[in-house]
Amino acid sequence: MFGQFLHIVVSCLKLDRNIYKDPKYFGEAAVYFAGLIMILDGVAGAVAANTFIKTSIGVSGITALVTWLIWSIFIYVIGVKLFPDGNLKIPFKKVLIGVGYAHAPGLIRFFAVTPELMIPIIFLTQFWIFAALIIST
């Protein structure tokens, strides 16, 4: 189970397009893996931000989950409902999982422990997340 989770994270960090196409990565545990990535992303953001601003790790985790839901709804409504691609029927759960997986680069924010590293790592991971979101959709 942990091996599969680690494989998903590493594949997402490598921007591997196949992770978003293979049905075995969208099984029963996929939504929990994506949720765990989002919670860890929020905690990593709190760790990075704590070099300047003291933030609560718990609030950051909950905020990450809410943000995950909002991004997923936004992408689902625009990509599936407003501009559908042919006769494809894409369930919301698949979009939710894809958005969660795409936030795996945010885990690198755990390494932003000094003020000198914080800004470059946050910018790098944010652009990396956007690239992963583009690939996932």
Side-chain angles (χ1 to χ4, degrees), residues 47-126:
V47 168
N50 273 338
T51 57
F52 283 121
I53 302 167
K54 299 298 179 197
T55 57
S56 169
I57 290 177
V59 171
S60 295
I62 292 170
T63 303
L65 289 175
V66 171
T67 305
W68 176 38
L69 184 63
I70 291 170
W71 264 112
S72 298
I73 291 170
F74 182 69
I75 290 171
Y76 182 77
V77 168
I78 291 176
V80 176
K81 295 300 181 184
L82 293 179
F83 301 106
D85 185 22
N87 294 331
L88 291 176
K89 301 289 185 206
I90 300 172
F92 178 70
K93 182 180 175 185
K94 189 166 184 175
V95 174
L96 191 69
I97 293 166
V99 170
Y101 286 174
H103 278 80
L107 301 179
I108 294 174
R109 293 178 187 160
F110 278 116
F111 297 109
V113 292
T114 65
E116 296 81 23
L117 291 174
M118 186 192 75
I119 299 294
I121 287 178
I122 287 177
F123 278 122
L124 172 74
T125 56
Q126 199 58 46

Side-chain angles (χ1 to χ4, degrees), residues 9-71:
V9 170
V10 170
S11 295
C12 293
L13 288 174
K14 293 190 300 186
L15 298 177
D16 184 6
R17 188 177 295 251
N18 296 325
I19 197 84
Y20 302 105
K21 293 180 180 178
D22 195 345
K24 75 177 181 178
Y25 298 113
F26 289 88
E28 285 294 318
V31 74
Y32 300 111
F33 288 158
L36 183 59
I37 289 171
M38 289 305 300
I39 292 170
L40 290 173
D41 179 41
V43 171
V47 168
N50 273 338
T51 57
F52 283 121
I53 302 167
K54 299 298 179 197
T55 57
S56 169
I57 290 177
V59 171
S60 295
I62 292 170
T63 303
L65 289 175
V66 171
T67 305
W68 176 38
L69 184 63
I70 291 170
W71 264 112

